[in-house]
Amino acid sequence: MSLRVKRPHVRLTAAVVALAMTTGVAVAQTATSRSGDAKPDDYERWENVREIYFPDRKIEDGAAFITLEAPYRAQDAALVPVSVKATVPRDAGWSIKTVTLLIDGNPVPLAGKFHLFDEAGGGGVEISTRVRVNEYTLIHAVAETSDGRLFSAERYVKAAGGCSAPAMKNPEQAMARLGKMRMNLPQSLPVGTPVTAQLLVSHPNHSGMQFDQISRTYVPPYFVKSIKVSYAGQPVMDVETDISLSEDPSLHFTFVPKAAGELDVQVLDSKDDVYTGEWPVTPQPAS
Amino acid sequence: MLPNMKALIGAIILFRIAGSLPAAAAPLPVEEVAAGVFVHVGVAAYADRSNKGDVANMGFIIGADAVAVIDTGNSPALARDLRDAIRQRTSLPIRYVINTHMHPDHVFGNGAFLDDRPDFVAHANYQSALMGRADAYQRRLEEDLGAEEADKAVMVPPTLTVGDKRELDLGGRPIELVAWPAGHTNNDLTVMDRTTGTLFAGDLVFQRRLPTVDGSALGWLRDLDKLTAMPAARVVPGHGPASAPWPDGAADTLRYLNTLVGDIRALQKEGGTIERASVEAAASERQHWNLFDEDNPRNAVTVFAELEWE
């Protein structure tokens, strides 16, 4: 299984994908017990994945301050909501610089590497996104601190077929809004208090594993590679993404409203097309 | 055209192999819901070995010259029993096999009718939707009914597609086909028997078994708006009783979809998450449906993502 990934950001060819698919684990959808929780194999796989993304690095248990949330049994393997929360004490002397979200069992485990900046609200982190899950697997969130340490939290998810699930229930409509974005801001934007916003990017995010039986070929991978969010000219979060993100990527992130400014988003996809969006943020003065 | 022909020939060969196996012939029980219109009622459950995949409604209409079959069930064995039920009542040729959409519980029996050389009739989007999911459907059939039964199933490409409307004739008996914009799926096709005013709505209408959203919830509501305005005496739902009065027969489906959409819109307005939707949306509908706990959370997730782009 470790064959599937040699290094991060590997570009998938149809052959690699086909191999990944044939080695995929068969799945019964009916079991309701928790007996299928992580097995030794899952931890062996994590060792491989860890070595690929964090070679020769020690990863400490971050369960005490990182919470990784995902449904134990996903409703839709192609759209599994995942959130990472981390609380860092104000006097800790360090902050979280990146969070890497890994779906161990996916052909490309990296769902996203989130680079965080001060504008994201200081030491704490709150990120949500939606991912594809190709087979029952552990997922990991790995936080790297400003003083160079790594901490991880893990979760077991029962879902299968998310990467090869057919694209788009309504293909014509989906392609018509390619590159369009939405920003959902909370109604209340108090100055100086971190708030959560949601960014939606309309993009098919084809995994390269979706087989078209009519043309007898795989739909070529076509996905969002990076998302950069800035506020009032300062970076909030840069995300490196890959095929493990769901179609129409969704991202919840935090920022701290201050004097009037703009949220700017720049999205780059695998065809090197760039999409941009701006949203004015009108904060309310603290009362 | 050529790949389709190849697939068809392959399908025919497969079917002949399957056909040589001993068949446990037992004509399916059917109800005559109107003169010359027959319906077999499937159970409101997931397909499994105990129900042999008998989980969706199937029907046929007998005209003066020919027969049309509407949906063929989840397995070839079941469809052979449906064919026996037809042959108990008429020896007229089976001229059309119509699929109301590409879901396995409505199409996996198609192969049982290949020897009749009918036209296989479907929505213009049917084939691409089916083929995009073919591998997953085949695997699931194997899990649900076992490898032996799954091996016999074939996916027959349509020989006649409908992009908008089309009329077929069974001999002094016109039947009207309408292809709908994305609703339950992106390839819903309805069949109206004008002689008796019987509307085969496919899965645009559910009763008893929870509707599943595999197309567009908003599109489905728009489709139902138009469909309920079409005059008919009765509807044959894709899941539920053999027939129900029209348009009242759509009430349960409409109520569920409106509740689901309404709850999710309200939740999104207050900044609620997709996780919350999977637990809370349409919770008031639970008592009305079979398979609610199994399928409602997924509907909620699907519709949540759809409504984010409203």
Side-chain angles (χ1 to χ4, degrees), chain B:
Chain B
M1 214 41 223
L2 199 58
N4 276 0
M5 286 304 293
K6 267 187 177 166
L8 189 60
I9 291 160
I12 290 167
I13 291 165
L14 267 174
F15 178 68
R16 293 209 186 280
I17 296 166
S20 66
L21 294 165
L28 276 187
V30 292
E31 186 182 320
E32 189 166 8
V33 300
V37 182
F38 298 84
V39 176
H40 170 75
V41 174
V43 297
Y46 284 137
D48 61 26
R49 285 172 176 79
S50 73
N51 61 37
K52 298 187 173 119
D54 185 7
V55 296
N57 294 345
M58 300 178 257
F60 55 92
I61 303 171
I62 305 176
D65 299 338
V67 180
V69 177
I70 298 138
D71 286 344
T72 60
N74 208 80
S75 84
L78 206 60
R80 279 195 297 277
D81 295 346
L82 176 68
R83 195 178 175 285
D84 288 343
I86 297 169
R87 283 291 166 250
Q88 271 187 334
R89 286 162 183 84
T90 180
S91 56
L92 287 171
I94 296 169
R95 193 178 287 162
Y96 302 106
V97 171
I98 304 165
N99 293 118
T100 59
H101 61 292
M102 84 309 188
H103 282 158
D105 52 337
H106 299 262
V107 310
F108 261 140
N110 281 5
F113 295 97
L114 279 168
D115 276 358
D116 295 297
R117 306 167 67 99
D119 262 320
F120 288 90
V121 188
H123 190 293
N125 290 340
Y126 171 95
Q127 186 65 356
S128 64
L130 176 63
M131 289 295 103
R133 297 159 175 83
D135 287 347
Y137 285 175
Q138 190 70 34
R139 270 200 308 276
R140 196 161 84 203
L141 187 66
E142 209 171 303
E143 283 167 19
D144 292 344
L145 302 184
E148 198 189 328
E149 193 56 32
D151 284 350
K152 296 179 205 162
V154 290
M155 299 189 196
V156 185
T159 55
L160 197 63
T161 60
V162 184
D164 181 24
K165 286 181 180 158
R166 178 141 193 165
E167 191 173 294
L168 305 175
D169 184 22
L170 305 177
R173 186 159 200 159
I175 56 175
E176 265 173 20
L177 310 184
V178 179
W180 295 88
H184 168 65
T185 65
N186 76 339
N187 60 105
D188 301 310
L189 184 72
T190 58
V191 181
M192 176 78 85
D193 173 45
R194 278 224 300 266
T195 309
T196 63
T198 304
L199 169 67
F200 282 82
D203 281 5
L204 285 175
V205 175
F206 279 72
Q207 289 189 22
R208 297 176 189 159
R209 190 234 186 275
L210 188 81
T212 54
V213 184
D214 196 13
S216 156
L218 296 177
W220 193 342
L221 284 166
R222 283 192 294 270
D223 290 348
L224 281 177
D225 217 34
K226 293 201 182 103
L227 191 59
T228 50
M230 285 169 63
R234 67 190 64 76
V235 64
V236 177
H239 297 266
S243 77
W246 190 249
D248 298 355
D252 289 356
T253 307
L254 275 166
R255 192 198 58 239
Y256 172 72
L257 291 173
N258 276 316
T259 306
L260 185 66
V261 167
D263 286 2
I264 292 171
R265 276 188 183 138
L267 211 121
Q268 287 179 341
K269 204 172 170 192
E270 59 175 81
T273 59
I274 199 165
E275 293 91 334
R276 259 185 74 193
S278 74
V279 179
E280 295 172 19
S284 62
E285 284 287 308
R286 188 169 188 273
Q287 58 188 328
H288 299 301
W289 302 99
N290 286 334
L291 299 179
F292 181 89
D293 291 344
E294 288 80 354
D295 287 340
N296 186 64
R298 185 176 171 133
N299 283 343
V301 166
T302 300
V303 175
F304 191 99
E306 178 188 346
L307 294 181
E308 279 179 326
W309 290 97
E310 225 184 321

Side-chain angles (χ1 to χ4, degrees), chain A residues 32-51:
Chain A
T32 50
S33 78
R34 299 207 162 210
S35 59
D37 282 5
K39 296 177 189 69
D41 280 1
D42 291 302
Y43 289 100
E44 237 171 78
R45 181 159 65 189
W46 166 233
E47 278 310 303
N48 291 332
V49 171
R50 190 194 59 74
E51 194 51 38

Side-chain angles (χ1 to χ4, degrees), chain A residues 212-266:
Chain A
D212 183 339
Q213 294 270 359
I214 291 180
S215 62
R216 304 299 300 173
T217 54
Y218 288 92
V219 179
Y222 176 38
F223 56 95
V224 170
K225 272 164 58 177
S226 77
I227 301 171
K228 290 175 197 279
V229 181
S230 61
Y231 171 57
Q234 300 297 314
V236 174
M237 180 161 71
D238 286 0
V239 197
E240 300 164 40
T241 58
D242 212 303
I243 63 161
S244 286
L245 278 200
S246 300
E247 166 188 330
D248 293 340
S250 163
L251 205 61
H252 283 83
F253 61 93
T254 52
F255 73 103
V256 186
K258 41 191 184 188
E262 214 177 57
L263 272 173
D264 289 291
V265 174
Q266 191 184 79

Side-chain angles (χ1 to χ4, degrees), chain A residues 5 8-9 45-54 59 68 70 82 84 99-106 108-114 129 131-133 137-143 151-157 240 242 244-245:
Chain A
V5 239
H9 314 147
R45 181 159 65 189
W46 166 233
E47 278 310 303
N48 291 332
V49 171
R50 190 194 59 74
E51 194 51 38
I52 290 159
Y53 290 95
F54 301 99
I59 301 184
L68 174 59
V82 177
V84 183
V99 173
T100 304
L101 183 60
L102 297 164
I103 318 301
D104 297 9
N106 279 5
V108 179
L110 180 76
K113 184 169 185 181
F114 303 81
T129 188
V131 300
R132 297 181 160 120
V133 176
T137 183
L138 281 171
I139 66 174
H140 284 87
V142 181
F151 293 94
S152 78
E154 69 183 29
R155 184 99 186 183
Y156 193 73
V157 175
E240 300 164 40
D242 212 303
S244 286
L245 278 200

Side-chain angles (χ1 to χ4, degrees), chain A residues 6-18:
Chain A
K6 289 211 163 66
R7 60 196 162 79
H9 314 147
V10 62
R11 279 298 287 271
L12 283 182
T13 64
V16 172
V17 169

